[in-house]
Amino acid sequence: MYFDRFDPMKGESLQILDPMGRLREDLRPDLPDERVKQLYERMFVMRLADRMGMNLQREGGMGTYAPFYGQEAAQASSAFLDPSDWMVPTYRESGALFLRGVPLANLYRYWMGDERGMFMPEGSRTLPIAIVVGSQPLHAVGLSWAMKLKGEKSAAAAYFGDGASSQGDVHEAMNFAGVFQTPTVFICQNNQFAISLPRKQQTAAATIAQRAAGYGFPGLLIDGNDIFAVAAAMQEALADARAGKGPRLIEMLTYRLGPHTTADDPTKYRADAEIEKYKPFDPLLRLRAYLESKKLWSETHEADLLKSGQAEVEEAAKKAKAMAPASPDDIFAYTYRAMPPYLARQREELHDFLQSQGKVEAHHG
Ligand SMILES: Cc1ncc(C[n+]2csc(CCOP(=O)(O)OP(=O)(O)O)c2C)c(N)n1
């Protein structure tokens, strides 16, 4: 119903909850108020968790961190996946992974440089994050094609950014998905930047969503700061994919309020005034305004949420910091089934070095 009604080629996009918190009831998806409230609460904690990620890096406990500040509604898209669907994320998706049930301590641990943070909970159909930009939609297509061949009624969700949309791999993934009618939901979080490169220089096309037409499947542009639009698009795209109707592309238009990563200085390529302009479009503000209008929110409720949310996040940070360091062998362990001699030599050298520094026991594995 949404994909048919809003045509990105005509410049149409879906917004259900406006920035003032007013809802278009005629467009409302299957999202009862109780669930909206729950989602608000998790998005609120998600933001606290993001801030903690930034703090851990600033205080020196983490190499780098990629915040998702401002993208909480788009990140909440993962809440609409079933456990039997595959989630295929990027480094931007800490919020989406948190909602998917990946422990926050693991996510922090990953950004502290420990690969074990990417060991997903047993049975969780969630891939580790992809750092190689644009590589992961191919994996999502492979997974969904396999599900189709096995007769499973599930989908795979591929997350990627506006910058990734220019990668050849993303073209190949969408083309293959169209030809083989795989149950893939392509989720482009257009946060309007690929590090310093603005969206305008990324493609001459008016929207990324309209590209779907070239691959022979439907695309939809939505306000990515509107959780109702995210729910509508996700529910329909997933239902269609699971029902064998093929892939869907959702462009979630949002804005990255923070830096690309902690290694980035956005003042070099965008004015603070621009960030201020986008702050009123904050996904949490409008959701709170909506809940307030329904008498489902109060100052005391928010104060309680802040307290319990902060405790949850601090506990996760404490746990991440307390984990014993991984073995240096991990640097060498996972690329080859049989380790090539030159890597084995390097591993020995590292062991000898660390031993000479009194850092580790000699280990020959
Ligand atoms: C193949 C490849 N090229 C370049 C990079 C360096 N790089 C990391 S993130 C990024 C920008 C990606 O922007 P976008 O896809 O819009 O996602 P966002 O970071 O905004 O969420 C680049 C160029 C990389 N990781 N992989």
Side-chain angles (χ1 to χ4, degrees), residues 33-326:
D33 279 340
E34 240 345 275
R35 177 118 160 90
V36 177
K37 192 173 166 209
Q38 275 172 7
L39 278 170
Y40 176 76
E41 290 171 355
R42 293 326 280 160
M43 283 161 63
F44 185 94
V45 180
M46 201 197 267
R47 178 166 291 180
L48 296 178
D50 194 44
R51 219 171 279 165
M52 177 58 87
M54 292 295 282
N55 290 345
L56 286 169
Q57 195 280 336
R58 297 293 188 225
E59 72 187 29
M62 214 178 240
T64 188
Y65 177 72
F68 52 81
Y69 175 35
Q71 299 181 218
E72 290 84 354
Q75 295 277 317
S77 51
S78 70
F80 302 96
L81 298 176
D82 281 345
S84 59
D85 297 321
W86 279 93
M87 180 184 175
V88 185
T90 78
Y91 50 85
R92 187 71 61 207
E93 267 68 68
S94 293
L97 287 164
F98 166 65
L99 277 196
R100 178 81 166 156
V102 177
L104 204 46
N106 289 19
L107 296 174
Y108 291 150
R109 195 68 203 170
Y110 171 78
W111 289 104
M112 288 171 176
D114 189 336
E115 285 292 332
R116 292 173 301 177
M118 277 297 126
F119 292 178
M120 294 301 163
E122 192 62 30
S124 165
R125 289 187 152 188
T126 307
L127 287 199
I129 68 173
I131 300 281
V132 180
V133 168
S135 57
Q136 71 287 355
L138 284 168
H139 308 155
V141 172
L143 287 166
S144 49
W145 192 29
M147 288 193 287
K148 181 177 174 161
L149 294 175
K150 286 172 151 180
E152 288 183 26
K153 300 269 173 272
S154 299
Y159 286 79
F160 59 101
D162 43 303
S165 73
S166 299
Q167 292 288 78
D169 282 357
V170 176
H171 160 74
E172 288 166 24
M174 291 211 212
N175 192 54
F176 194 102
V179 171
F180 288 87
Q181 289 290 288
T182 58
T184 321
V185 178
F186 294 96
I187 301 170
C188 179
Q189 264 180 93
N190 174 2
N191 65 8
Q192 306 194 42
F193 288 96
I195 315 187
S196 55
L197 194 80
R199 156 62 186 87
K200 272 199 278 309
Q201 289 176 47
Q202 197 61 248
T203 167
T207 68
I208 293 166
Q210 73 194 54
R211 291 219 182 130
Y215 301 113
F217 56 82
L220 179 67
L221 172 63
I222 67 164
D223 180 341
N225 285 0
D226 165 6
I227 188 68
F228 286 88
V230 168
M234 287 296 290
Q235 285 169 352
E236 185 174 350
L238 287 165
D240 285 352
R242 292 180 196 127
K245 294 181 188 168
R248 299 288 182 266
L249 168 62
I250 307 166
E251 178 183 355
M252 302 188 177
L253 182 61
T254 179
Y255 187 83
R256 196 191 77 214
L257 290 169
H260 170 70
T261 66
T262 45
D264 174 43
D265 175 8
T267 60
K268 294 213 167 109
Y269 56 85
R270 68 180 184 189
D272 286 347
E274 181 183 308
I275 302 168
E276 290 308 312
K277 195 181 90 189
Y278 278 100
K279 281 197 175 155
F281 298 99
D282 185 322
L284 287 181
L285 285 182
R286 75 177 71 177
L287 199 46
R288 190 168 70 195
Y290 170 78
L291 291 172
E292 222 173 339
S293 74
K294 293 274 172 172
K295 310 233 173 310
L296 290 168
W297 178 90
S298 69
E299 293 278 1
T300 44
H301 180 58
E302 184 118 335
D304 289 346
L305 196 56
L306 181 61
K307 214 166 136 195
S308 61
Q310 196 56 32
E312 181 179 340
V313 163
E314 277 167 18
E315 182 59 35
K318 212 165 106 187
K319 209 166 153 192
K321 286 185 202 169
M323 267 176 86

